[in-house]
Amino acid sequence: MSADTKQNTITIDGQEIPFLAGQTIMDAALAAGVYIPHLCHRQGLTPHGSCKLCVVDIASKNASACTMPAVAGQQISNNTPALNEARTTITQMLFIEGNHICPSCEKCGDCTLQAMAYHLGMLDGHFPQFFQRREVDASHPTVMLDRDRCILCELCVRASREVDGKNVFEIAGRGTNARLIVNSASGKLVDSELETSDLAAHICPVGAILIKESGYKVPIGQRTFDLHKVSEIGLEKIVLTKVRQPDE
């Protein structure tokens, strides 16, 4: 390793990780095959830092790995009991703040939130169930929006704006009144520019955005997280694939 290369490294849990100028800690970690838990991050989209599962310890200070730039010499702790306990609590809160009844959800087995719970060893929701009933929008001919399952990660917002070039979705309100809205005159999906081929229609990590008439084409037991762990690097293409071979 050259001296120049050695200067551009960070250390995560004792492992030296190279990085390029402009990369975040998350970018560098994923490029090196190091998993940092996350729900709202996707490479290629502007980092958002909303889920806070990727918070790491940098010299006894907490920071979101998806938004914090990598700086040479950073000493970072990621996989620690304290951080994983906080991540479990966040995941429990996400479960009880929405309608995440896994056995009744078409996204079961393809849901990143569900897979995260398994990864963290979450055994129950811990907190009392608490979520405001939000409107289900089934007006679109091919896409359904179930806001009760939305975790406000803004992945669909960013995908629509930055990849699809349509700006179909947005988050409105604050606190318990925060909700996903549709940018159309009526506020309905049917009057938006959303198409089934759009990334925004497929990127939801939970079951808030679903494609109609495609439920259970991939049987339970052969879905993404039936076959893979959420900690595997580069699962994005697999998660977005709706029709897969049983022997994937």
Side-chain angles (χ1 to χ4, degrees):
M1 183 180 291
S2 68
D4 290 340
T5 303
K6 191 171 181 62
Q7 288 178 351
N8 290 324
T9 61
I10 57 180
T11 301
I12 301 179
D13 294 334
Q15 179 180 344
E16 194 170 60
I17 305 293
F19 71 91
L20 302 174
Q23 281 190 316
T24 62
I25 293 172
M26 179 72 80
D27 291 333
L30 293 177
V34 174
Y35 177 68
I36 298 176
H38 59 275
L39 286 172
C40 72
H41 178 73
R42 179 178 167 83
Q43 288 181 295
L45 298 180
T46 301
H48 192 247
S50 60
C51 76
K52 300 306 178 188
L53 285 177
C54 75
V55 166
V56 293
D57 182 301
I58 308 173
S60 299
K61 293 183 179 179
N62 289 343
S64 298
C66 70
T67 57
M68 175 63 68
V71 177
Q74 284 173 327
Q75 296 293 319
I76 301 162
S77 296
N78 167 45
N79 188 18
T80 70
L83 288 172
N84 287 329
E85 181 179 358
R87 289 164 178 160
T88 300
T89 300
I90 292 170
T91 304
Q92 288 172 322
M93 293 174 69
L94 288 172
F95 262 89
I96 63 96
E97 290 176 355
N99 178 15
H100 301 293
I101 312 301
C102 299
S104 65
C105 181
E106 147 63 15
K107 194 77 170 183
C108 184
D110 285 325
C111 175
T112 311
L113 178 64
Q114 180 190 43
M116 185 64 66
Y118 282 120
H119 173 75
L120 295 169
M122 189 186 109
L123 299 178
D124 56 48
H126 182 71
F127 303 101
Q129 192 74 26
F130 172 77
F131 65 94
Q132 296 186 16
R133 295 305 301 269
R134 304 184 182 101
E135 181 186 7
V136 173
D137 185 347
S139 63
H140 195 280
T142 58
V143 182
M144 186 179 104
L145 173 60
D146 186 347
R147 292 180 175 87
D148 282 345
R149 292 173 178 159
C150 178
I151 60 172
L152 304 176
C153 66
E154 288 204 14
L155 280 171
C156 63
V157 176
R158 287 172 283 155
S160 183
R161 181 187 304 141
E162 299 173 16
V163 178
D164 303 330
K166 295 182 178 181
N167 199 32
V168 169
F169 297 107
E170 190 56 85
I171 302 295
R174 302 182 66 181
T176 58
N177 292 319
R179 64 200 183 281
L180 185 66
I181 63 170
V182 176
N183 288 322
S184 66
S186 65
K188 298 289 187 180
L189 274 180
V190 69
D191 296 319
S192 74
E193 298 178 357
L194 186 70
E195 297 177 90
T196 311
S197 59
D198 291 348
L199 179 61
H202 298 274
I203 200 171
C204 180
V206 292
I209 301 176
L210 295 173
I211 306 301
K212 291 182 177 180
E213 299 182 0
S214 66
Y216 297 97
K217 283 188 176 179
V218 179
I220 297 294
Q222 297 177 15
R223 297 185 171 201
T224 305
F225 298 113
D226 297 325
L227 305 174
H228 303 271
K229 294 181 179 179
V230 73
S231 56
E232 292 181 32
I233 306 301
L235 279 181
E236 290 88 353
K237 290 182 180 179
I238 296 174
V239 173
L240 290 176
T241 300
K242 294 302 174 183
V243 179
R244 301 193 302 276
Q245 297 300 317
D247 60 348
E248 173 197 284

